[in-house]
Structures are given as C-alpha cells and as structure tokens.
Amino acid sequence: MSELNNIAIRILENGKGILAADESTGTMTKRLDAVKVPSTPENRLLFRETLFSASGMTECIGGVILYDETIKQVSSKKNTIPELITKMGSAPGIKVDTGAKTLAGSADEKITEGLDGLRERLKEYYKLGAKFTKWRGVYSISKNYPSRLSIHANAHALARYSALVQECKMVPIVEPEVLMDGEHSAKECYEKTSEVIKKCFEELIIHKVDLKGIILKPNMILAGNKSKEQISNDEVAKLTLKCLKNSVPSEVPGVAFLSGGQSEIEATENLDLINKYNDTNFIMSFSYGRALQQSALKFWSQNIQNIEGTQKIFNHRAKMNTLAAQGKWSKDLEI
Ligand code: 13P
C-alpha cells in the first residue's frame, strides 16, 4: 500500500470522518456574527480548540481541515494546533485554495484560485504537520449552468492542485461542490454532478494523479433548496450511490461528503442510508463543516467558558456521524 493510500484510509477507516473547520476568516466572522460573538483571533481559536480537544475526536474524527490562521496558532496548553490534533489521534489538514473568484468568460460562475506559489505554500504546511489538503471547486445549477467552461476550468485547477499536493507527500481532498441553492430537480443535480465528477477524473488522470492517494469530497444528490419537487432521504441515498458508482474510478479509496447546508440530522440520516445501501468498495464517510459544528457553536456562543458542555454536544454529533458512516445510525439515538 502506498503511503498516500495509507493516510487516506487511516483518515476514513472504522466510521471515522473529517471535521471541516477551515472556514476562512470572512466565513467564520459571518458564523460568529450570527451568534453574536466578536470574531477575534482569540475567539476563533477558543471555539476551535474546544472542539479539537474533545474526547470524540479520538474515536470519530480521522482528520481536521484547518485554515491558514489556525494551523499557525498555539493552544492554551502551548501545543501548536497540528500537535494538539495529532495528540488526539487525528490528522491535521489544510485548505489551500484562496477562494472562488469570477470566471472570465462566464461572469455568473466561479473559478477557484490559488495555484500560483502553491508548491512553496505546500512545503510550509507539510513542515507545520499537515498530512492532507483541501481545494473546493464550486458550481451552481440553473438553465445554462454549470457551463462547459466552468466544468473544464475547475477540473483542470483541481487536477493541477492534486498533482502538486501529492508531489509534496500529502493527500489531496478533491472537492467539486455542486451547490444545492436553486430551483433545480434532483434529476438535474444527478446529471450535473455526474458530468462534473467525470470531468474531474479525466483531468486528474491527465495530470498523473495517483487515484489511490486522494479523497473525493462530493455533494449528495439533492433537489435544489427552492425546488417544489423534494425527494425522500431514501431516494437521495440511492441517487447519490448511483452517481458515484458511474463516475468514480474504483481505485479511489474513499468518499467524504460535504453537508452543504443540510441540517445536522438530515446530513446524518442521508449518510446512514448511503451506507446501508452501499454495495461499492468505496468508504463512504463525512467531511462536514456546518453539520458537525452548528449546535456546538450555538451552545458555546451562550456559554463561552463552558468547554465541557460544548464538547458534549460536539461529541454526540461526531458519534452519530461515525455510526452513520457504518450504516448503524437510527433516529432514536438522537437526544
Ligand atoms: P459544509 O459541510 O458546511 O458544507 O462544509 C464542508 C466544506 O468543507 C465546504 O467546503
């Protein structure tokens, strides 16, 4: 087994998943504003350190995606944040794209930037302890979108990023996110997501990326959040599996879904059904941001010194998702 394949599997094995705590300072400020906590570097660290030192990390969280600010911060016990995460039995990772900008030639769409100088930044993150990285391409569905241009340009960037990351001995998370915003049907989400993922693999192969040493982070197949035709959780799970079976090469060791605006319970329930029906060899786990942190953040914002209370809520969500990643969750386990 190659070292990269080994890392990818260790992050996702036995129901473990990924905590996506890589909100940029802008996004984290929005999240903290919403719960009326001042967005200072100290408060951002306090919340994140509270989660990273929770007992649920060891059993449930195989990797944590960090933002540039956090990977360079020092915990209250004087460990660097990557040291703290490693001590908890998890792997530190880092978001390395620099955000989605207007795509020249298709101004309503986005292209993710960050390739210039990436090799040098990767070397620095590797020295800081990162074992894996994340880059997110983003696509929205409407009448003429995503365009061929956006599908091609984002796949190309994801492939160039992945090749550089593997050169620097880390596992790239390849995240093509087809957004749930809009009026589109689940069928349209299925078709567009399939096209986007197939194009990504076409480019990854051209760029000689070792598919055994990546983690795919896709969206689930959902109807748009403004669509009148919502589908059942059962259909979400079956369509998601069908899409991945038809578009992901068998060498890929694992898939870690994003939550993308689903509620905490919805994200858990859909992941559980995907695993109950999973007849592939892919590990199907989670890489949730909001669906792992929302309740913990709400509680913490009102009880900022109550570390144990915040950790209890986080531990529960992490445990529920770890059960779901093994198809062993049920609604009556929720509190
Ligand atoms: P959500 O689970 O909140 O969608 O975040 C995952 C993520 O990392 C998006 O890039």
Side-chain angles (χ1 to χ4, degrees):
M1 209 193 309
S2 76
E3 183 49 27
L4 293 182
N5 181 254
N6 220 343
I7 295 172
I9 289 181
R10 272 208 314 268
I11 292 172
L12 300 180
E13 70 189 352
N14 303 326
K16 284 185 189 177
I18 298 170
L19 166 62
D22 60 322
E23 299 86 357
S24 64
T25 301
T27 303
M28 196 59 191
T29 299
K30 268 191 235 156
R31 303 254 195 279
L32 292 175
D33 282 352
V35 293
K36 304 195 165 44
V37 174
S39 181
T40 59
E42 295 74 25
N43 282 342
R44 292 193 288 272
L45 175 63
L46 183 59
F47 177 64
R48 285 165 165 159
E49 186 181 342
T50 301
L51 304 189
F52 304 162
S53 46
S55 60
M57 285 281 297
T58 307
E59 184 195 343
C60 306
I61 305 295
V64 180
I65 319 175
L66 300 167
Y67 183 61
D68 182 75
E69 175 185 74
T70 325
I71 201 171
K72 294 169 181 168
Q73 283 175 319
V74 174
S75 75
S76 54
K77 302 227 163 62
K78 306 288 172 233
N79 291 309
T80 67
I81 293 300
E83 280 166 359
L84 166 62
I85 291 168
T86 308
K87 206 168 73 133
M88 296 304 293
S90 187
I94 179 78
K95 166 197 171 82
V96 300
D97 67 67
T98 55
K101 309 284 160 57
T102 302
L103 174 61
S106 186
D108 292 333
E109 297 188 282
K110 304 270 189 219
I111 178 71
T112 302
E113 295 190 347
L115 289 170
D116 288 351
L118 180 57
R119 183 181 271 126
E120 287 66 39
R121 288 194 292 126
L122 290 172
K123 285 180 185 159
E124 185 193 357
Y125 289 138
Y126 183 79
K127 275 194 205 142
L128 289 169
K131 298 279 181 263
F132 70 104
T133 65
K134 177 187 119 171
W135 179 291
R136 171 175 174 261
V138 58
Y139 314 79
S140 39
I141 302 181
S142 60
K143 193 157 171 279
N144 300 312
Y145 301 130
S147 65
R148 272 180 66 213
L149 173 59
S150 117
I151 293 175
H152 179 88
N154 277 295
H156 180 260
L158 277 162
R160 284 194 56 201
Y161 140 83
S162 299
L164 282 163
V165 170
Q166 290 192 337
E167 183 189 283
C168 292
K169 304 188 181 68
M170 294 179 283
V171 169
I173 293 187
V174 175
E175 181 180 8
E177 176 175 6
V178 179
L179 295 170
M180 65 148 78
D181 307 69
E183 295 175 3
H184 56 271
S185 63
K187 181 169 175 282
E188 285 169 285
C189 178
Y190 175 90
E191 283 164 4
K192 295 303 174 189
T193 303
S194 303
E195 196 180 339
V196 160
I197 294 178
K198 281 181 186 160
K199 190 68 179 176
C200 284
F201 282 104
E202 209 178 295
E203 291 287 328
L204 288 167
I205 290 165
I206 291 173
H207 288 258
K208 303 192 186 334
V209 172
D210 174 9
L211 300 185
K212 294 194 182 81
I214 71 161
I215 293 172
L216 178 69
K217 176 164 174 169
N219 50 284
M220 294 179 191
I221 304 301
L222 304 166
N225 56 6
K226 297 197 190 83
S227 168
K228 290 184 194 81
E229 310 165 34
Q230 293 301 322
I231 59 170
S232 66
N233 300 103
D234 220 60
E235 287 169 297
V236 169
K238 287 180 176 161
L239 279 175
T240 302
L241 270 171
K242 187 172 164 200
C243 169
L244 296 174
K245 268 205 258 188
N246 291 335
S247 52
V248 183
S250 59
E251 296 95 307
V252 174
V255 168
F257 294 99
L258 57 94
S259 60
Q262 298 180 69
S263 72
E264 290 180 343
I265 303 285
E266 208 183 342
T268 303
E269 183 163 5
N270 285 334
L271 179 64
D272 181 62
L273 287 169
I274 288 170
N275 277 289
K276 285 192 162 88
Y277 294 130
N278 188 7
D279 55 354
T280 71
N281 289 324
F282 304 126
I283 301 174
M284 299 277 188
S285 189
F286 57 92
S287 175
Y288 292 162
R290 285 161 286 180
L292 267 173
Q293 300 183 70
Q294 229 158 35
S295 299
L297 179 63
K298 197 166 161 215
F299 176 87
W300 175 80
S301 68
Q302 285 150 17
N303 311 269
I304 208 159
Q305 297 309 331
N306 190 344
I307 295 192
E308 254 176 53
T310 308
Q311 289 180 333
K312 196 168 159 223
I313 294 171
F314 172 71
N315 288 340
H316 172 71
R317 226 32 284 132
K319 179 73 183 173
M320 293 299 103
N321 284 308
T322 286
L323 289 172
Q326 300 168 93
K328 293 180 180 165
W329 174 85
S330 70
K331 225 176 215 142
D332 55 358
L333 296 170
E334 293 291 346
I335 38 180

